Amino acid sequence: MTKLAHIAGGTLGPPRTRAVHRAIAEARRGVPVVLAARHPLIIVPAETVGAEGLRLIDTLSNGQAMLLLSPSRAAAVLQHEVADKAPAIALRLARPLIDAQTLKRAADPTLEQILPQFETTEAPPEAEAALALAKLARLLPAVVVAQVKPGWASQKAGADLLSVPAADLLAYPLNLAASLTKVAEVAVPLDAARDARLIAFRALDQGIEHMAILVGEPEKQEAPLVRIHSECFTGDLLGSLRCDCGPQLQGAIASMAQAGAGAVLYLAQEGRGIGLINKLRAYTLQDQGLDTVDANRALGWQADERNFHIAAAMLEALGIHKIRLLTNNPEKVKGLAACGIEILERVPHEFAPNGVNDAYLETKARRFGHLIG
């Protein structure tokens, strides 16, 4: 058992892991699933639900139907402040549930905001797990929920619905990291590092791959340079000027080549973990005047949703136990240290603004505490 698996209390195991994978797939399709808990819920993401999903909830549930939103998104929908300590705010929904478009608008601030007056109600204890399913599916964290009727599985409408334990959804990110394995390794000479290698990692979900870009032989150094870099399609691939991701990636490889060795852990966690589509939505909100932190929160996400346990598992697999971390972000240092990574030094990694990303870099310094400027 890996160190991460021990922290996680052991992996979920194939049957329970498959149930989480299926639940994620159903969420993306807009098909309700049943959240198994003391008081089971039938749930479906507001972003993907259609008429058939709402009909199933009407048929198989009893009691109050609700829309669960993060506190930051609920405050915008309700147009007044709400307590932000709770994992979710619950809004009452009228029955029958027939208006999927209104639910989508309530979930997505980039859509036209013609919304009814919602009333709040008490959120169920499983609210955090319900929102976790939407986040695992890279959907907006807004979920329609209701208590499911006893005997739902024996009814014709519920016969094909999946049931997944609420606790498994919450445990999944750490268990995902614990299941990470190397699946491919190949030499890929780079312009700045002719001796570079790529090592691909895949977790039990067999989905998104994470990559390690090794320069030289960092595993033979006591504390090599390491950069934890979240993928950025717009910056790394397209050369977008809205961020500094592309220069940070290329600069890290060049620094490691100069140092003789190093490792870039290229994590498939676009937009600080919210996914590419949600990052593009955040860009839309930034164009309307929000900064990067407030844009993420307006969508219902935290400012940073990354899972650094993935990086810890990759370093363990690479045989790298101590590092010099190439970053300007002290919170990243804390986050990685909390995952058991021994960081001997923070090495600054700063690039000048380009005339487009000036406000973005200023926000990173002011709101995230990055040590730049």
Side-chain angles (χ1 to χ4, degrees):
M1 182 181 294
T2 68
K3 181 164 55 179
L4 279 172
H6 175 72
I7 293 171
T11 55
L12 292 176
R16 292 165 66 186
T17 300
R18 282 197 299 270
V20 175
H21 298 165
R22 285 184 57 199
I24 292 170
E26 298 289 66
R28 289 173 176 159
R29 294 169 52 214
V31 177
V33 301
V34 173
L35 201 59
R38 183 176 180 183
H39 300 291
L41 300 173
I42 183 169
I43 69 174
V44 66
E47 182 179 345
T48 54
V49 69
E52 176 59 17
L54 295 179
R55 185 192 68 78
L56 284 172
I57 291 180
D58 266 328
T59 301
L60 295 173
S61 67
N62 54 23
Q64 179 65 54
M66 296 167 261
L67 175 64
L68 296 180
L69 298 174
S70 74
S72 57
R73 179 59 188 146
V77 170
L78 295 169
Q79 298 185 352
H80 62 72
E81 292 296 321
V82 299
D84 61 1
K85 300 287 186 180
I89 303 298
L91 309 183
R92 293 179 183 272
L93 295 178
R95 308 292 284 267
L97 299 169
I98 59 174
D99 192 355
Q101 289 306 312
T102 293
L103 295 171
K104 289 176 172 60
R105 288 196 297 270
D108 187 351
T110 67
L111 299 178
E112 187 177 17
Q113 293 296 286
I114 301 176
L115 297 172
Q117 292 292 318
F118 288 103
E119 295 180 0
T120 59
T121 187
E122 184 178 359
E126 300 77 20
E128 184 178 4
L131 290 186
L133 175 59
K135 288 185 174 184
L136 289 172
R138 298 288 180 92
L139 300 171
L140 291 167
V143 182
V144 180
V145 307
Q147 283 196 7
V148 70
K149 292 177 179 177
W152 62 271
S154 63
Q155 297 187 33
K156 182 178 180 180
D160 295 329
L161 292 190
L162 173 71
S163 176
V164 60
D168 288 0
L169 294 174
L170 295 174
Y172 183 73
L174 189 53
N175 278 271
L176 190 69
S179 72
L180 206 68
T181 57
K182 291 193 289 186
V183 292
E185 179 174 354
V186 66
V188 180
L190 303 177
D191 185 51
R194 297 299 179 95
D195 58 349
R197 290 174 286 152
L198 286 187
I199 299 180
F201 291 82
R202 184 184 288 153
L204 272 179
D205 64 353
Q206 302 294 302
I208 298 173
E209 289 84 14
H210 305 275
M211 298 287 173
I213 306 167
L214 302 188
V215 176
E217 296 180 308
E219 65 274 21
K220 294 184 178 180
Q221 291 194 345
E222 180 185 3
L225 274 178
V226 170
R227 166 82 184 157
I228 312 298
H229 190 93
S230 299
E231 70 177 353
C232 178
F233 172 81
T234 50
D236 298 338
L237 185 60
L238 301 182
S240 167
L241 299 178
R242 296 185 71 130
C243 63
D244 58 345
C245 299
Q248 283 191 330
L249 175 61
Q250 296 302 325
I253 294 170
S255 295
M256 291 168 189
Q258 186 175 8
V264 176
L265 305 189
Y266 195 81
L267 307 186
Q269 298 187 29
E270 183 91 36
R272 298 192 186 94
I274 70 174
L276 178 57
I277 289 176
N278 290 313
K279 186 181 84 169
L280 298 182
R281 287 172 168 144
Y283 278 173
T284 298
L285 296 176
Q286 290 172 39
D287 289 342
Q288 296 171 6
L290 298 184
D291 67 24
T292 183
V293 175
D294 289 336
N296 278 23
R297 286 175 54 79
L299 292 169
W301 298 85
Q302 298 297 322
D304 195 332
E305 295 270 356
R306 286 175 289 189
N307 177 5
F308 288 124
H309 289 289
I310 294 288
M314 292 171 72
L315 288 171
E316 183 177 339
L318 293 169
I320 297 174
H321 306 292
K322 300 178 183 180
I323 68 173
R324 292 182 296 130
L325 185 63
L326 205 57
T327 185
N328 303 315
N329 184 359
E331 290 302 315
K332 183 182 287 187
V333 175
K334 293 178 184 177
L336 292 169
C339 296
I341 299 173
E342 188 173 352
I343 302 170
L344 299 189
E345 180 186 3
R346 182 193 72 82
V347 180
H349 195 51
E350 184 176 351
F351 295 86
N354 58 31
V356 176
N357 67 8
D358 301 51
Y360 169 77
L361 294 178
E362 190 276 333
T363 297
K364 289 213 294 187
R366 179 172 52 86
R367 302 292 300 275
F368 286 104
H370 285 213
L371 302 174
I372 55 180

